[in-house]
Amino acid sequence: MSRLLVCVLLVYLSSAQVPDIRYWNRNGLQWSDFRCQVPAQAKDTLAVSYVGIDYRMHAVEDSFYYSVVPQFRRDLSWARVKTVYNLQHEQLHFDLAEYMARRIRKSLMASQVNYHTYRQTEQEVKHLLDSLQYWQDRYDRETQFGRQTELQIYWNDSVHKILEKESAFTDTLIRKNSRLD
């Protein structure tokens, strides 16, 4: 019985899907990063980028450790029409995730975290995480999914300027010391 259980467990563990993730960097996305099969019903959609921010916090003794990492899910992202222009549009979705990650890092670095105030800090971070979807939707709406060239250029320039301005907040790991009071 134990051999059967071990075999079943090994088969189950080996069949579990591990997300195929790309982390943000200045080199940008390539079409080879879009690995999901294009859905049959996606006749009008050129591409879909599945981006988000992995946020983690843990406390050890008198320190809080934060990890804020934008991620691109290769296994869920797909492209039907692969042009340089479309890739730039999809890249900006990822750049928006990096921008929001920098805002979160900036907020965490400015906060006075301790065991009495960490819940408030967590609420502030949750608000910033939730706002990522708002900015993603606004970007697509205003550029009409990249079809408005002038607005696409405006968004590209604006986001890249903001990323430069917030370049002090690129470290994905943050350690905050706290007094135990």
Side-chain angles (χ1 to χ4, degrees), residues 2 24-25 41 46 68 80 113 125-126 161 176 179:
S2 64
W24 189 90
N25 65 47
Q41 68 274 18
L46 303 178
V68 185
R80 189 171 55 80
V113 181
V125 169
K126 182 182 181 323
K161 285 177 185 172
K176 297 287 290 188
R179 289 190 357 241

Side-chain angles (χ1 to χ4, degrees), residues 31 34 46-47 49 80-91 139 145-146:
W31 282 124
F34 293 73
L46 303 178
S49 293
R80 189 171 55 80
V81 178
K82 298 178 180 181
T83 67
V84 171
Y85 184 79
N86 290 345
L87 184 60
Q88 289 171 346
H89 176 81
E90 296 307 315
Q91 175 64 50
Y139 166 56
F145 300 91

Side-chain angles (χ1 to χ4, degrees), residues 49-124:
S49 293
Y50 192 96
V51 300
I53 298 173
D54 181 48
Y55 168 76
R56 298 169 193 242
M57 183 278 289
H58 70 275
V60 177
E61 295 180 9
D62 64 344
S63 296
F64 287 85
Y65 296 88
Y66 296 94
S67 171
V68 185
V69 183
Q71 299 179 339
F72 177 88
R73 291 282 306 267
R74 292 174 170 149
D75 55 329
L76 299 175
S77 301
W78 55 267
R80 189 171 55 80
V81 178
K82 298 178 180 181
T83 67
V84 171
Y85 184 79
N86 290 345
L87 184 60
Q88 289 171 346
H89 176 81
E90 296 307 315
Q91 175 64 50
L92 207 69
H93 281 290
F94 202 13
D95 292 345
L96 283 167
E98 172 62 17
Y99 163 62
M100 291 309 300
R102 290 183 189 187
R103 283 190 59 194
I104 292 167
R105 294 178 202 131
K106 183 178 182 178
S107 174
L108 290 169
M109 292 172 79
S111 66
Q112 297 297 320
V113 181
N114 62 43
Y115 285 92
H116 301 292
T117 63
Y118 81 92
R119 285 197 172 114
Q120 178 184 351
T121 301
E122 290 294 298
Q123 286 299 316
E124 292 169 11

Side-chain angles (χ1 to χ4, degrees), residues 103-155:
R103 283 190 59 194
I104 292 167
R105 294 178 202 131
K106 183 178 182 178
S107 174
L108 290 169
M109 292 172 79
S111 66
Q112 297 297 320
V113 181
N114 62 43
Y115 285 92
H116 301 292
T117 63
Y118 81 92
R119 285 197 172 114
Q120 178 184 351
T121 301
E122 290 294 298
Q123 286 299 316
E124 292 169 11
V125 169
K126 182 182 181 323
H127 173 73
L128 289 169
L129 286 168
D130 291 345
S131 71
L132 175 59
Q133 190 60 51
Y134 165 81
W135 286 105
Q136 297 286 355
D137 293 343
R138 182 175 172 183
Y139 166 56
D140 273 338
R141 187 175 56 253
E142 288 185 9
T143 64
Q144 293 184 348
F145 300 91
R147 291 180 179 99
Q148 291 293 323
T149 306
E150 298 83 19
L151 289 169
Q152 182 67 51
I153 292 168
Y154 169 80
W155 272 85

